[in-house]
């Protein structure tokens, strides 16, 4: 019963917050944005004034890290921000420009996704420590290899 009360309180709070907000967030990428030969960050940057004029208050950008896959969901080095969408300098320029137009910037990051040297378990940049780093993977991940806490399970409520 406590869980239902807590969830109900959270939902009521979120509903009130959303009802009072007029902000609109734009998803600033799709599954093939990485293919743009001009660099996706440059494309979005060239549209910053249009986004401001249209009234967008936030933009959701693709995963920023160096990655093993094209869309960016298997990061190999989290702190290397040069990827298929553009360079770290282009990303920094884009963020600065969007902020100057009062547009907030969010990055799509899936913490449980990562690409190690040979498997997701041996991810080393940054290092997750502990032997085999299994504690850093949720215990109900698709790999069935993690020893960390379980991923969120709505059925538990």
């Amino acid at each position: 019963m406590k869980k239902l009360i807590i969830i109900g309180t959270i939902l009521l709070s979120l509903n009130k917050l959303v009802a009072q907000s007029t902000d609109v967030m734009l998803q600033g990428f799709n599954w093939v944005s990485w293919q743009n030969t001009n660099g996706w960050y440059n494309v979005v940057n060239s549209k910053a004034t249009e986004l401001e004029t249209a009234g967008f208050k936030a933009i959701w950008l693709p995963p920023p890290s160096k990655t093993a896959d094209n869309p960016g969901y298997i990061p190999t080095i989290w702190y290397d921000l040069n990827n298929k969408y553009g360079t770290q300098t282009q990303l920094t320029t884009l963020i600065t420009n969007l902020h100057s137009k009062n547009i907030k910037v969010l990055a799509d990051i899936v913490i449980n996704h990562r690409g190690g040297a040979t498997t997701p378990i041996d991810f080393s940049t940054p290092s997750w420590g502990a032997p085999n780093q299994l504690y850093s993977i949720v215990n109900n991940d698709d790999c069935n290899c993690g020893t960390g806490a379980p991923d969120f399970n709505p059925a538990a409520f």
Side-chain angles (χ1 to χ4, degrees):
M1 185 64 163
K2 272 186 175 179
K3 287 181 184 178
L4 289 177
I5 292 170
I6 292 170
I7 291 172
T9 303
I10 291 170
L11 290 176
L12 286 172
S13 297
L14 287 174
N15 189 33
K16 184 178 179 183
L17 179 65
V18 170
Q20 293 174 352
S21 176
T22 58
D23 292 354
V24 177
M25 178 174 70
L26 172 72
Q27 180 175 339
F29 67 104
N30 61 42
W31 286 112
V32 295
S33 297
W34 60 270
Q35 294 176 349
N36 190 286
T37 56
N38 294 325
W40 189 247
Y41 297 146
N42 290 335
V43 171
V44 176
N45 197 30
S46 73
K47 304 290 184 187
T49 300
E50 290 177 54
L51 297 173
E52 177 186 34
T53 302
F56 290 104
K57 298 296 181 188
I59 188 167
W60 170 21
L61 293 178
S65 299
K66 182 177 179 182
T67 183
D69 69 326
N70 292 325
Y73 288 94
I74 305 176
T76 54
I77 304 175
W78 275 357
Y79 304 125
D80 182 344
L81 302 181
N82 298 291
N83 60 38
K84 301 258 183 175
Y85 297 100
T87 66
Q88 179 173 345
T89 300
Q90 292 167 341
L91 176 60
T92 302
T93 299
L94 169 61
I95 292 170
T96 300
N97 190 20
L98 291 169
H99 283 173
S100 75
K101 297 176 183 327
N102 295 313
I103 299 174
K104 297 177 181 103
V105 179
L106 292 88
D108 191 345
I109 299 171
V110 182
I111 295 172
N112 207 47
H113 290 187
R114 52 196 180 271
T118 57
T119 71
I121 298 169
D122 69 351
F123 187 81
S124 61
T125 45
S127 174
W128 288 86
N132 295 324
Q133 305 172 40
L134 296 178
Y135 76 93
S136 65
I137 299 174
V138 295
N139 65 21
N140 57 347
D141 193 59
D142 293 343
C143 74
N144 293 315
C145 59
T147 60
D151 192 5
F152 176 72
N153 180 3
F157 293 96

